[in-house]
Amino acid sequence: QVQLVESGGGLVQPGGSLRLSCAASGFTFSNYVMSWYRQAPGKEREQVARITSTGGITTYPDSVKGRFTISRDNILNTVYLQMSSLKPDDTAVYYCKAQYMFREYWGQGTQVTVSS
């Protein structure tokens, strides 16, 4: 019923750019705060971006601030993560999360590898 499907991952060289997409279905997307998380091997999941339901407020940790941009299209029910100036340390599986009240949904993840 509920689906969050990430896409757009792949192999990119350091300094390159990549745009991830997360297509949502099965719930009222416009009500949900959307976030992107990443998890590198042996590491905890780290939130790298968050956007409010209307898209009015975005939040980033220092590790990606100025390089990553989250956006959403509440008509297309899609949240995006534009990643620029990518570093090898950005290598991880990237997940999108939808949150509204007690409800929380996760996507399956998409691999991003930053390497020469």
Side-chain angles (χ1 to χ4, degrees):
Q1 180 69 27
V2 170
Q3 279 198 304
L4 292 171
V5 181
E6 300 96 334
S7 62
L11 176 64
V12 63
Q13 294 184 5
S17 298
L18 210 59
R19 188 179 78 158
L20 307 182
S21 299
C22 176
S25 60
F27 62 97
T28 306
F29 179 80
S30 60
N31 287 342
Y32 282 71
V33 173
M34 299 299 299
S35 301
W36 285 95
Y37 288 74
R38 67 186 181 189
Q39 188 168 30
K43 305 293 185 182
E44 297 286 328
R45 285 191 182 186
E46 173 193 22
Q47 188 183 82
V48 297
R50 182 172 63 201
I51 187 167
T52 52
S53 60
T54 62
I57 303 174
T58 57
T59 305
Y60 310 92
D62 289 342
S63 57
V64 308
K65 196 171 298 179
R67 301 187 299 117
F68 289 12
T69 302
I70 188 171
S71 61
R72 66 190 296 159
D73 189 326
N74 283 354
I75 303 301
L76 297 180
N77 291 345
T78 303
V79 62
Y80 306 94
L81 185 67
Q82 178 66 49
M83 304 184 294
S84 300
S85 301
L86 284 163
K87 309 172 181 179
D89 284 347
D90 295 320
T91 296
V93 178
Y94 284 72
Y95 302 86
C96 64
K97 184 186 80 171
Q99 183 176 337
Y100 177 64
M101 304 289 244
F102 62 92
R103 297 182 180 90
E104 188 172 285
Y105 306 126
W106 290 84
Q108 83 290 346
T110 185
Q111 176 71 48
V112 172
T113 302
V114 184
S115 176
S116 298

